[in-house]
């Protein structure tokens, strides 16, 4: 699992090694049990082969802070479970009513609404148990700080609150930048930020390092959402693995809609440059996190 | 808040003092914020005036273990949030499709399905943040053990798994005792057990004390479900604050249906007597927990 960041660092190799490790650990932490239908529904969405960006950020931040990535592995997996929960619930008919996700039918299309709701609840509850039970070799106080950070990111100040605001602004033609940023800070930013922070906390980062990593994550999170909005306009379903033009047809507020495509691109570039400079002080140790930020822009080319 | 258990112990007074303290703390831990509609939906169901049995059990177990009840107050409130989450989600149209709960319209009848789902998610996420952030004066390791215990009770091995099994057996005329017990162990038992255990852990209980309290809680949980099933048959909507005959009309497996009313009553009595004897060794310190168990039977008279 060890990947030494250096000048010959190859992001593609790094990501595929980390992704494989995370996928194997997710599989281990969610073995099939009774009730079988529920575990199958949980595994269907969790093991559908996402990019694992959040857990990878968590592991990278833990290493940057000076600890072995293994220490953060249960938390990294828990974060992917929380992320998957929010995807399953956001896709429900009462919300975004999505048919495809990660290239396959959405959870409720496969298992029905009741199981989809309960699979989401289960992933959320299980994620906290996982962190509390399987994080070892570090002071319990750090693990508890991670629970607080992720509880906040998943709740009304994060994912759930962002989704409420998103739904409330659907179909409105006059959504301004402020509301749009608030939605994304909660819906995308909060969990990305908590992923980086959790890794940093587990790795034993001091206050100045945590502050820098938090800024990096906030900029990355915003850039991530802008790029996602842009791709929803410019990409194809085959490339994304989900329906494109979803946001526009749902009348959702997006960056291209509010700022235009060109200005959205420029904003993403500025954010990534700033994110990069947040980490300059860490030198080569920050190579993976810097490369991850820059890869976002490459997806626009 | 201090209630000294002694021979003149009055359960009614004890419960109302505890309930008032829990209600005030719940209110404090869930102040109204943005997005307002989400917090209103969370507060609507959380502050609807339940019996607060689970948090009261948690505080009582903490005191039995020798610590001040205050230490367990954030956890007790978190437990009520988890319980409320499961009520909101179980009531959804895709599941039990309930119209009334705790004497008022169900959450989705008031706020719509999307907000009801997200209010449940929010309560669950918030509950873990609450425990991690506000539990003070004890070793972090104990708090982490509580997070693990409650994560398990809310997840596929507890509440969510129980609801899946419950739905899967709806309308079946041949549900046996084994399946029925499995459903209730997850759906009712797991969180009651975790409530008692969490209090014991926070209070610093040793392994034998935890084992005794776990047995007590398991018996109490089962008795609780049996009594609930009996009241669904014999009580009125005014007395319960929710629709009666719900279980029968939904074709749900219940104790009266499988064992008959008389045998169900007898089983509840045996369980309560056993629960009482589990705690005999603690003498007067166990007075509230013993009285709580016995009060279950009184509701049948």
């Amino acid at each position: 699992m060890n990947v030494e960041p250096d000048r010959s660092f190859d992001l593609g190799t790094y990501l595929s090694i980390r992704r494989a490790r995370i996928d194997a650990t997710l599989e281990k932490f969610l073995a099939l049990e009774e009730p079988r239908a529920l575990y199958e529904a949980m595994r269907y969405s969790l093991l559908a082969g996402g990019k694992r960006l959040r857990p990878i950020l968590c592991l990278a931040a833990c290493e940057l802070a000076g600890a072995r990535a293994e220490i953060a592995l249960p938390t990294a997996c828990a974060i992917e479970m929380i992320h998957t929960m929010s995807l399953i619930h956001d896709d429900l008919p009462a919300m975004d009513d999505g048919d495809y996700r990660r290239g396959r039918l959405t959870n409720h299309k496969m298992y029905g609404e009741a199981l989809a709701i309960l699979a989401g609840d289960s992933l959320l509850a299980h994620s906290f148990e996982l962190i509390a039970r399987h994080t070892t070799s570090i002071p319990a106080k750090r693990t508890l700080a991670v629970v607080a950070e992720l509880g906040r990111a998943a709740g009304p100040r994060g994912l759930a609150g962002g989704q409420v605001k998103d739904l409330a602004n659907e179909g409105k033609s006059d959504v301004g930048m402020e509301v749009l940023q608030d939605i994304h800070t909660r819906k995308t930013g909060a969990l990305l930020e908590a992923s980086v922070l959790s890794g940093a906390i587990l790795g034993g980062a001091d206050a100045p390092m945590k502050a820098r990593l938090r800024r990096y994550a906030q900029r990355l999170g915003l850039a991530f959402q802008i790029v996602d909005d842009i791709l929803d306009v410019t990409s194809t379903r085959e490339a994304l693995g989900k329906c494109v033009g979803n946001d526009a047809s749902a009348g959702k507020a997006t960056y291209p809609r509010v700022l235009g495509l060109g200005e959205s691109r420029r904003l993403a570039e500025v954010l990534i440059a700033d994110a990069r400079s947040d980490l300059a002080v860490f030198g080569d140790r920050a190579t993976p996190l810097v490369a991850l930020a820059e890869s976002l822009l490459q997806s626009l080319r």
Side-chain angles (χ1 to χ4, degrees), chain A residues 45 71 74 87 113-114 130 173-174 212 221 277 289:
Chain A
S45 292
I71 282 175
L87 299 180
E113 277 182 65
L130 183 52
S173 56
D174 59 343
R212 274 189 181 278
S277 70
L289 289 176

Side-chain angles (χ1 to χ4, degrees), chain A residues 187-215:
Chain A
K187 222 182 143 168
T188 315
L191 190 58
L192 279 174
E193 189 181 323
S195 302
V196 173
L197 250 286
S198 297
I201 292 166
L202 293 169
D206 60 10
M209 183 184 264
K210 278 193 272 190
R212 274 189 181 278
L213 282 168
R214 198 182 278 278
R215 269 200 310 278

Side-chain angles (χ1 to χ4, degrees), chain A residues 109-126:
Chain A
K109 283 275 163 190
M110 276 296 289
Y111 297 97
E113 277 182 65
L115 269 177
I117 294 165
L118 292 164
D121 295 351
S122 293
L123 285 167
L124 185 55
H126 190 60

Side-chain angles (χ1 to χ4, degrees), chain A residues 143-170:
Chain A
T143 312
L144 220 43
V146 165
V147 169
E149 193 76 38
L150 291 173
R152 184 185 165 107
R157 290 170 175 171
L159 296 174
Q163 176 68 357
V164 168
K165 292 215 158 191
D166 200 3
L167 293 171
N169 286 288
E170 218 174 278

Side-chain angles (χ1 to χ4, degrees), chain A residues 50-72:
Chain A
K51 294 192 295 288
R52 313 305 188 198
L53 173 64
R54 291 158 190 79
I56 288 172
L57 285 170
C58 175
L59 299 180
C62 180
E63 278 181 317
L64 173 55
R68 286 178 307 114
E70 271 74 10
I71 282 175

Side-chain angles (χ1 to χ4, degrees), chain A residues 234-263:
Chain A
T234 62
S235 192
T236 62
R237 178 174 148 195
E238 289 67 39
L240 284 187
K242 62 180 179 182
C243 297
V244 292
N246 262 342
D247 298 342
S249 65
K252 287 211 172 185
T254 69
Y255 282 90
R257 244 182 109 194
V258 175
L259 296 180
L261 260 180
E263 190 58 22

Side-chain angles (χ1 to χ4, degrees), chain A residues 28-40 43 126:
Chain A
K28 189 191 91 183
F29 280 136
L30 200 64
L32 209 51
E33 280 183 33
E34 280 295 314
R36 223 179 151 84
L38 177 59
Y39 279 89
E40 275 170 8
R43 289 167 54 93
H126 190 60

